[in-house]
Amino acid sequence: MSVKPTQNQALVSRILTFSCVDGPGNRLVVFLQGCNFDCITCHNPHTINHCTHCGDCVKSCPSDALSIHTQKNDQQRVIWHADKCTHCDRCIDVCPDKSNPKIVRYGVDEMLALIRKHHFFLNGITISGGEATLQLPFILSLFKAIKSDPELAHLTCFIDSNGSLSRTGWERVSPYLDGAMIDLKAWQSDTHLWLVGRDKHRVIDTIDYLATQNKLHEVRLLHIPGKSDLDTEVDAVGDYLKTLPEGVKIRLNAFQHHGVIGEALTWEKCSESEMNRFHELLFSKINRTMQLPTVYT
């Protein structure tokens, strides 16, 4: 049985209290559980689905941090005992459903208390996932509260998204949003559909809208040698990127095997030389600074 978030609560997979790679400056990053894409190359596949409480993970836990609880309606639930957990992630490795039994439900007030504890050392908050915007009511409540709090109002509010949110949704959050990072995973719709399970039209509309609102912080391109089409469609990709404001960052990501499961583990990783080839190809079209990876695994 899946668990759905409510208006003022969110299902949280993980929280990083300090990160310098999820938006500008030092940021507290909240990874929400659940995604409406099913990317073959996902490096966080355990954030895609909600726990079905099948119990397969319980016996695998070396520290007995998981147990089965049978409810009054005879349905079973997996219970996570955080005090026993060593975060070895064995439960994630054996999960058959691309999920995580260690999900925590946070209310807005609880999240604000956590942010307030660290706010002296932060430049902002980034909500990521999974796909963050699937829990838009929580994001709206949280961002509104941050902007109206004299102690926290200096923090910038960012969303890391796959771009699938409707324009109506972006219009709702835009007044409280300082920036968004959006992934463009492929150019041709059929390639995008194959890689993530949905076409690219919402993604392009999201990028276009956020750019007009001066809320587009970064567009990220994932280069998968021989699989994605960003290099073979470089003329069209370049023409599109040239329409974006100069202030929008372009980040090139190299496909690696870290965290990936299934078919994509057999695919060729993107080497530094291959990434440099793609960068030179795209740079010749847009003549614009792009951020390259610093680590290849």
Side-chain angles (χ1 to χ4, degrees), residues 221 230-231 233-235 237-239 241-242 246 250 252 274-292:
L221 310 177
L230 297 174
D231 57 340
E233 298 286 344
V234 70
D235 289 335
V237 173
D239 286 342
L241 294 178
K242 284 191 290 187
E246 285 295 325
I250 307 297
L252 306 185
E274 172 61 21
M275 176 53 74
N276 288 336
R277 183 194 70 83
F278 175 50
H279 172 262
E280 291 173 9
L281 193 63
L282 188 56
F283 184 81
S284 69
K285 306 297 179 183
I286 68 175
N287 191 28
R288 181 167 173 169
T289 300
M290 292 171 278
Q291 187 165 348
L292 288 164

Side-chain angles (χ1 to χ4, degrees), residues 124-191:
I125 311 301
T126 298
I127 309 297
S128 186
E131 173 47 34
T133 62
L134 293 182
Q135 301 189 48
L136 189 63
F138 173 81
I139 295 175
L140 279 167
S141 297
L142 179 64
F143 284 5
K144 286 180 182 179
I146 290 171
K147 295 301 184 183
S148 63
D149 189 317
E151 191 176 37
L152 304 179
H154 69 285
L155 299 175
T156 56
C157 295
F158 274 62
I159 293 176
D160 184 337
S161 172
N162 62 24
S164 63
L165 183 64
S166 68
R167 181 166 293 209
T168 300
W170 287 115
E171 288 172 349
R172 290 176 63 198
V173 75
S174 183
Y176 316 101
L177 179 69
D178 294 294
M181 290 85 76
I182 307 296
D183 290 306
L184 180 58
K185 298 178 184 293
W187 184 253
Q188 291 289 347
S189 285
D190 56 351
T191 307

Side-chain angles (χ1 to χ4, degrees), residues 158 173-181 209-218:
F158 274 62
V173 75
S174 183
Y176 316 101
L177 179 69
D178 294 294
M181 290 85 76
Y209 173 74
L210 292 173
T212 64
Q213 301 301 305
N214 197 30
K215 298 297 175 74
L216 183 63
H217 175 71
E218 181 177 88

Side-chain angles (χ1 to χ4, degrees), residues 13 54 56 65 86 88 92 96 117 147 181 184 192 246 275:
S13 176
C54 68
D56 285 5
T86 62
C88 68
I92 290 173
K117 179 180 178 181
K147 295 301 184 183
M181 290 85 76
L184 180 58
H192 197 278
E246 285 295 325
M275 176 53 74

Side-chain angles (χ1 to χ4, degrees), residues 5-20:
T6 61
Q7 177 77 23
N8 293 308
Q9 291 186 325
L11 300 178
V12 176
S13 176
R14 186 185 183 195
I15 296 175
L16 295 179
T17 52
F18 302 105
S19 171
C20 59

Side-chain angles (χ1 to χ4, degrees), residues 86 99 112 119 122 140 146 155 164 169 203 228 232 260 279 297:
T86 62
S99 188
L112 287 172
H119 79 280
L122 297 173
L140 279 167
I146 290 171
L155 299 175
S164 63
V203 179
S228 59
T232 57
V260 172
H279 172 262
T297 57

